Amino acid sequence: MDTPADSSHAARDKRIKSIISFSCEIQKNFPSKDDKKAQKNLIDELENRIQAIKSYSLRSPGSQRHTQLDSAGTDLWNWCVQAKRQDGCDVLTERSKLFTSVRVYAFLILALAQWGDRNTPGDLLRLEKLAIKAGRSCIVDSELDFAFIVLQKAADYNGTLQNLQASLPEEESDACRKLEAEYFTIRIALAWKQDRLDVADHLYGKVQNCKHSSDPVSVENLADSFFEIGKDLTAKKNFPLATKWLERAYECINSQELEKLSREAIELRLAISQALVRSYLSTNTTDDFQKAENHVRYIESEIGDKLVVLLLRLELLLSSPAEAFDCNAYAVVLQRMVRSLDISEFGFNIVIHHIRKLDNKSPSLASSVFDEFIASRVVPSQHDTWVEKAVVLRTQLATTHRDTYESIQGLATMFNGVGVNLETPLPATAVLAVQTLIWKKVDASFNQGELDIAEKWCRVAMHPAFCNSGPANTAKIARKLMSCALQRNNLDNATEIFQSMSESAQREPMTLYLVYKLALRSGDREMASDCLKHISEASSGDLQYLYACCLDAQEAEDKRCAIEALQHLIRKFEYTSPGAVHLPALLRIVIRLEASLLNDQGQDDADRHLLIDDICQAFESVVTAIQRDPRDDQGLKLFTIEELDWFCKNAYNLGLKNVHAWQPRQSSRMLQCCLSIISQYPQDIPVQVAEDLSLRAMFCHFLIATAHIALARSEDNIETQLQDCLLTRNHIKGFDEGLEARLNNLDEVSKEDLRMKLSTLMLFDFEAAICLKS
C-alpha cells in the first residue's frame, strides 16, 4: 500500500534530494569491471532503494520537483543505456544485472515524478514504453522480482490508457494498442519464467483481442515469446504443453499476411514449424504423427525442396516404427537433398549424418546415395577436407558390412571418379586411412580362406587414385596379393606380381620369403638359394623368415633347400643360442637331413661326393660349436653329455660304416670329428664311459692312419704326400699311447687284437718315416 507523502515539506524535499543525489552518484562513481566488490555493494544498495522507492508517493510535488525528478530519471536512464552499450557486458553476469538494476531505479524515479491523475496520454505512453523496456531487460537478466514491479506499473498505465482510448487521436490510439500487445507479450514471458503457466494461459486469453489489431512487429514478438515457451517445454520433455504453445506461436505468426512479415519473421515462422513438427513426433501418438505429416506436406507445398523441409521429411521417416521403416523413401529424400543442396560445411555434415542413419538400415542404398553425393557435390567442390572425410567414411562404411563383390566393386568405381576428377591427388593422410581400413578386410578375408575377396580388396587398395601411398603400404598390399596367388598355386600370377614391385620392395625380407616359396613350388633351387642368401644378409636380429624358409622347405619335402636354410640359420647364430632355439637341435636336424639325402637313390657321383663333403662340414661345424662352449640364459652348457654322445657316436658310425664307400679323405674328416668331440668330454665322466671313449679313439686313430698312408702312396703332389705321412705318424702315435694306457685293463683277446693292429701300424709308421726322411 502506498505510503502517504510526508506532511513535512522539509522531509519530502530531503527524500527528493536523496533520490536525485544517488542518481548522480551512480553516474559519477560507477564501479569499473574489475572492482567486483564495489559492483556487489552497489547492487545491494540499489535493491534497497528500489524496494523503498516503489512505495513512495509524492502528492502534488510541484512543478519544480516534478521537473527535477523527471530530469534525474531521464538522465540516469539515458546514461545507463549508453554506458551499457559502451561496456559491452554479457547477459546473466553481475555487471549486466547492475545495469538492469540502474534501469529499474531510473524508471521508478520517472514514475515517482508524475502528476498522478493529471498525467497526459503522452506521459502514460512514455511511462508504459519505459516500463516494458525495463521489464524486458529484467527478464533477460533473470531479475524476475524487479520485472514484476515494473510490469505492475505498466499494467496500471495500460489500464488508464484503455479507458482513454476512445477519446485519443488515431496516432496515440495506435501506439496504445501496440504497447498493449507488447505488455501482454512481456507479461506472458514473465509468467513463463516464474513457472506460472496458468497465469500465462490466462494472459493468452486476453491477448486474443489485440492480436489481430496489432502491427506485424508486435505480433512477431508475441509469436517469438510463445515459441520460446514451447522450446523450453520441449527441452523439459513436456511435449503436450510444448505442442500447445508452439501451435499458439504458429497461429499467431500466421495471423498476419505473409507479405507484411519481415525476413526475420518468416525465418521465425519456419523455425516454429520445425519445432512444432518435432514436438508432434515426440508425443508418440498416431494423431500427432498425422498432424506432423500434414504440416510437413503443407510447408513442402509452400517452399519445395528446401533443406529444412527435407530434414523434417527425414525426421518423419525416422519416427516411424522400426519394422515399418521405408528405406527407399529415406534414400529418395536424401537424393533430393543432395541434388538441391548448395554445399557448405553445415550441408556437408547434414548429408553425412543422414547417410550414416541410412547405412544402419540399408547399406547398399546408403552407398548409392553416398556415391552420388561424392560425385556430384563433394569432388566438384575441390574442397580437400570434404573430399578426405567423404572417401574415408565411404571406405569405412564399405568395410564395416559383409563383403560382396558388388560392394567392393562399388567402392572401386567411386575411387575411379575421384581419381579422374580431382585436380590434386588424394593427400597421404587420406590414403593411409583408406588403406588401413581396407587392410583389415584383406587380412580377415585371407585368414578365413576367402582368397577371391582378399584379392579384390587388395586391388582396391592399390587403386591409381592412391598415388600418394607410401612405398611400405604399397609393398605390403602387393605381398598379400602374391600370397593369395601362392595359396591358389597360381605361380605365373605370383611371378607377375613380384615383377611389378619396386626394386626396394623386392629386396625386403618378407618379399624374398614369398619368392622363396615360389621357387620351392616351381622347383627353381637356384632362385631358392639366392633368396636364402639375401634373406640371411637382410636379417639382423630377427630371423623369423629364415625359420619360415626351413619349415616351408620341409613341407615341400625339399631336403636340399631345407638343409641350406638351416645352414644359413646356423651361420647367422654364429654357434650361439638366442634363447628359444637350441643350437644342438639345429645341427642334429641338418645332419639327419643330409644323412637321409645320402641314402636316397638316383644321385650321380658328383652330387654324392658334394653331399658327403656337406656332412663332413656339418660335423666340423659341430666341433667348432662345442669348442666355443655356448651356454643358455641360465649359464648352462648347451652341449651336455647326452649331446656329445649323440654327435660322437654318429660321427664314429658314419665314418666306420662308409670307410670303404667314401673317399679316404672324407672318412678321415669324419673320424677326426669324432676324435675332436671325444676330447671335449669333461674329466669327471664315469670310468666305464671314459674307457669306451678311449677305445673308440684308438679305432679312429687306426682308421685315420690307415687312410692317410694309402693316400700318401697314391699322391703325386710331394707336399700333400708328406702331409699325409705326417698325419699317419701322428695318429699311430695316438693309437700307441692309448694302447699303453689301457693295456693293463684289457683281456687277453683284446690285447692280442690291438697288438696285431699296432704291429700293422708300425709298418706304416716306418714307411711314413722313410718318406719324411726322419
Side-chain angles (χ1 to χ4, degrees):
M1 182 175 181
D2 288 345
T3 302
D6 196 324
S7 58
S8 169
H9 182 76
R12 184 173 58 186
D13 283 349
K14 183 179 180 180
R15 185 176 296 166
I16 292 173
K17 286 180 180 179
S18 174
I19 293 171
I20 294 172
S21 174
F22 184 64
S23 69
C24 292
E25 185 182 343
I26 290 173
Q27 300 173 56
K28 184 178 179 181
N29 299 317
F30 195 76
S32 64
K33 287 184 178 181
D34 299 328
D35 195 345
K36 304 295 182 185
K37 184 177 179 181
Q39 291 184 68
K40 178 68 170 56
N41 291 338
L42 183 56
I43 289 174
D44 293 341
E45 177 69 19
L46 280 165
E47 185 175 352
N48 292 331
R49 288 188 174 263
I50 287 169
Q51 293 300 332
I53 198 174
K54 73 176 182 178
S55 57
Y56 287 171
S57 175
L58 300 177
R59 295 176 181 176
S60 303
S63 175
Q64 183 180 357
R65 293 188 180 90
H66 167 83
T67 303
Q68 289 174 341
L69 287 170
D70 187 80
S71 177
T74 302
D75 288 347
L76 184 59
W77 179 278
N78 292 337
W79 174 88
C80 182
V81 171
Q82 185 178 1
K84 185 175 182 181
R85 185 182 300 118
Q86 292 174 350
D87 196 87
C89 60
D90 297 326
V91 297
L92 295 177
T93 62
E94 283 296 311
R95 195 160 182 82
S96 177
K97 290 180 180 180
L98 177 57
F99 280 116
T100 297
S101 299
V102 172
R103 182 174 287 190
V104 171
Y105 185 67
F107 165 74
L108 291 175
I109 294 174
L110 290 169
L112 182 64
Q114 302 314 306
W115 294 81
D117 295 339
R118 296 171 61 186
N119 287 326
T120 66
D123 293 332
L124 294 172
L125 286 171
R126 175 193 176 215
L127 287 170
E128 184 176 5
K129 183 184 297 184
L130 293 176
I132 290 170
K133 287 183 177 180
R136 184 178 292 114
S137 179
C138 290
I139 291 173
V140 168
D141 281 314
S142 296
E143 294 287 352
L144 303 185
D145 291 339
F146 289 171
F148 187 72
I149 291 171
V150 296
L151 288 178
Q152 275 186 322
K153 297 285 187 182
D156 293 339
Y157 303 142
N158 184 65
T160 303
L161 284 168
Q162 295 307 312
N163 295 332
L164 298 173
Q165 191 168 2
S167 61
L168 294 176
E170 183 178 354
E171 183 179 350
E172 289 186 342
S173 180
D174 290 343
C176 181
R177 283 193 297 271
K178 180 178 179 181
L179 286 177
E180 182 182 25
E182 289 186 16
Y183 164 72
F184 280 120
T185 299
I186 199 70
R187 187 66 185 83
I188 288 172
L190 176 60
W192 158 52
K193 288 288 187 179
Q194 291 176 322
D195 205 19
R196 293 294 307 275
L197 290 179
D198 55 333
V199 175
D201 274 327
H202 172 71
L203 293 168
Y204 175 76
K206 290 187 174 184
V207 84
Q208 297 302 303
N209 298 326
C210 63
K211 182 172 62 177
H212 295 285
S213 59
S214 299
D215 66 296
V217 175
S218 299
V219 172
E220 179 183 338
N221 291 334
L222 191 61
D224 188 45
S225 291
F226 296 164
F227 177 50
E228 291 298 327
I229 296 172
K231 284 200 302 181
D232 180 62
L233 291 167
T234 299
K236 295 175 179 176
K237 300 191 183 303
N238 190 341
F239 299 116
L241 268 181
T243 300
K244 180 172 76 172
W245 281 97
L246 289 169
E247 285 177 337
R248 288 172 174 177
Y250 191 71
E251 179 188 357
C252 182
I253 201 77
N254 272 353
S255 66
Q256 298 292 314
E257 296 178 11
L258 287 178
E259 58 270 16
K260 292 183 179 180
L261 294 177
S262 66
R263 178 171 180 173
E264 290 77 12
I266 292 173
E267 291 176 356
L268 174 63
R269 179 173 180 265
L270 194 56
I272 294 169
S273 293
Q274 286 180 271
L276 182 57
V277 169
R278 293 187 177 116
S279 185
Y280 281 142
L281 295 176
S282 298
T283 61
N284 293 320
T285 64
T286 305
D287 288 345
D288 280 349
F289 185 85
Q290 189 58 50
K291 287 180 182 178
E293 174 69 39
N294 294 339
H295 199 82
V296 172
R297 189 178 294 116
Y298 175 72
I299 302 172
E300 199 170 10
S301 67
E302 277 190 335
I303 60 177
D305 278 357
K306 296 293 183 182
L307 181 60
V308 61
V309 177
L310 297 173
L311 288 174
L312 290 174
R313 179 63 67 187
L314 292 175
E315 284 194 52
L316 278 173
L317 291 169
L318 285 172
S319 299
S320 60
E323 62 275 8
F325 182 78
D326 191 341
C327 296
N328 289 317
Y330 200 92
V332 167
V333 174
L334 260 181
Q335 286 175 327
R336 287 165 58 192
M337 184 184 294
V338 167
R339 292 163 188 168
S340 62
L341 185 71
D342 291 330
I343 191 165
S344 63
E345 189 68 31
F346 174 76
F348 176 84
N349 291 331
I350 281 290
V351 174
I352 292 296
H353 171 75
H354 286 284
I355 285 174
R356 285 180 180 273
K357 293 277 188 185
L358 181 58
D359 183 70
N360 292 332
K361 306 289 186 179
S362 174
S364 59
L365 284 174
S367 297
S368 176
V369 174
F370 207 167
D371 289 346
E372 182 179 346
F373 180 54
I374 292 171
S376 64
R377 287 288 181 266
V378 179
V379 172
S381 74
Q382 301 295 326
H383 192 292
D384 293 343
T385 304
W386 295 343
V387 172
E388 184 172 346
K389 285 182 179 178
V391 298
V392 171
L393 179 59
R394 175 67 176 88
T395 306
Q396 183 182 354
L397 296 183
T399 56
T400 302
H401 303 291
R402 184 175 61 86
D403 298 324
T404 63
Y405 294 127
E406 292 75 16
S407 65
I408 299 173
Q409 185 56 46
L411 187 64
T413 302
M414 184 274 293
F415 281 121
N416 289 341
V418 170
V420 170
N421 296 307
L422 267 187
E423 294 175 1
T424 57
L426 282 171
T429 51
V431 173
L432 177 60
V434 168
Q435 289 183 330
T436 300
L437 290 167
I438 293 176
W439 179 256
K440 292 178 181 178
K441 298 299 289 183
V442 170
D443 224 20
S445 301
F446 185 83
N447 292 335
Q448 293 168 9
E450 298 174 346
L451 301 180
D452 287 345
I453 293 292
E455 275 195 349
K456 288 187 178 298
W457 278 120
C458 285
R459 297 294 181 190
V460 175
M462 297 178 73
H463 196 280
F466 304 148
C467 59
N468 281 331
S469 172
N473 275 353
T474 304
K476 182 179 179 181
I477 296 163
R479 282 194 291 267
K480 189 61 75 172
L481 266 176
M482 194 172 173
S483 296
C484 290
L486 288 171
Q487 284 284 83
R488 295 187 308 184
N489 209 33
N490 190 339
L491 305 184
D492 290 340
N493 189 20
T495 303
E496 182 181 342
I497 295 166
F498 171 70
Q499 291 172 347
S500 69
M501 297 170 70
S502 67
E503 186 177 345
S504 59
Q506 289 178 347
R507 290 197 302 267
E508 291 179 18
M510 181 58 188
T511 308
L512 292 169
Y513 166 65
L514 293 176
V515 178
Y516 179 78
K517 294 180 73 170
L518 173 63
L520 285 178
R521 297 186 185 188
S522 59
D524 190 342
R525 283 186 178 156
E526 184 179 352
M527 182 192 292
S529 180
D530 190 54
C531 287
L532 282 173
K533 176 185 174 184
H534 287 97
I535 289 173
S536 181
E537 290 173 353
S539 303
S540 54
D542 184 8
L543 302 174
Q544 59 175 325
Y545 298 117
L546 281 177
Y547 292 139
C549 290
C550 295
L551 292 173
D552 281 318
Q554 286 186 292
E555 287 179 7
E557 297 183 351
D558 192 324
K559 295 178 183 178
R560 289 187 180 276
C561 287
I563 290 167
E564 187 176 2
L566 286 165
Q567 287 172 338
H568 276 286
L569 193 58
I570 292 168
R571 283 195 293 271
K572 200 69 182 175
F573 281 140
E574 294 184 347
Y575 311 107
T576 60
S577 179
V581 177
H582 193 56
L583 179 57
L586 282 180
L587 292 165
R588 283 200 305 273
I589 293 170
V590 171
I591 290 168
R592 281 172 174 156
L593 284 172
E594 289 176 338
S596 171
L597 195 59
L598 186 63
N599 294 328
D600 291 345
Q601 301 297 321
Q603 297 184 62
D604 58 32
D605 290 341
D607 287 343
R608 182 176 177 81
H609 179 75
L610 290 173
L611 183 56
I612 295 169
D613 278 342
D614 286 343
I615 295 174
C616 293
Q617 187 177 357
F619 273 98
E620 288 165 352
S621 298
V622 171
V623 172
T624 304
I626 294 171
Q627 289 170 347
R628 294 184 182 217
D629 192 22
R631 296 175 182 264
D632 61 17
D633 295 337
Q634 286 74 41
L636 301 175
K637 287 177 175 287
L638 292 181
F639 288 93
T640 61
I641 298 295
E642 290 76 13
E643 296 289 358
L644 294 175
D645 284 343
W646 190 92
F647 288 110
C648 183
K649 289 176 181 177
N650 278 275
Y652 180 74
N653 291 336
L654 277 171
L656 185 61
K657 176 183 176 182
N658 297 290
V659 72
H660 297 298
W662 293 2
Q663 293 182 5
R665 291 196 188 279
Q666 293 170 332
S667 298
S668 175
R669 287 173 67 187
M670 186 60 63
L671 294 169
Q672 180 60 53
C673 288
C674 179
L675 284 172
S676 298
I677 295 169
I678 290 172
S679 69
Q680 297 301 313
Y681 275 82
Q683 297 297 320
D684 58 351
I685 58 176
V687 175
Q688 186 59 50
V689 173
E691 290 180 355
D692 290 343
L693 290 174
S694 176
L695 188 61
R696 187 180 299 163
M698 289 174 64
F699 285 129
C700 289
H701 284 305
F702 178 81
L703 292 172
I704 294 172
T706 304
H708 279 288
I709 197 63
L711 288 169
R713 290 169 182 168
S714 60
E715 182 59 56
D716 294 331
N717 187 290
I718 299 301
E719 186 178 350
T720 304
Q721 183 185 54
L722 293 175
Q723 186 65 36
D724 286 331
C725 289
L726 183 60
L727 288 172
T728 299
R729 298 203 69 191
N730 288 340
H731 284 286
I732 291 172
K733 181 181 178 182
F735 183 90
D736 187 26
E737 290 173 351
L739 178 58
E740 185 176 348
R742 289 182 47 82
L743 194 58
N744 295 330
N745 299 324
L746 296 173
D747 58 72
E748 291 299 326
V749 174
S750 298
K751 286 180 182 179
E752 186 62 29
D753 179 61
L754 292 175
R755 283 174 177 156
M756 288 288 295
K757 286 181 168 56
L758 180 59
S759 63
T760 303
L761 290 177
M762 287 297 106
L763 294 174
F764 296 161
D765 186 57
F766 180 72
E767 183 179 348
I770 293 174
C771 183
L772 291 169
K773 297 180 181 179
S774 58

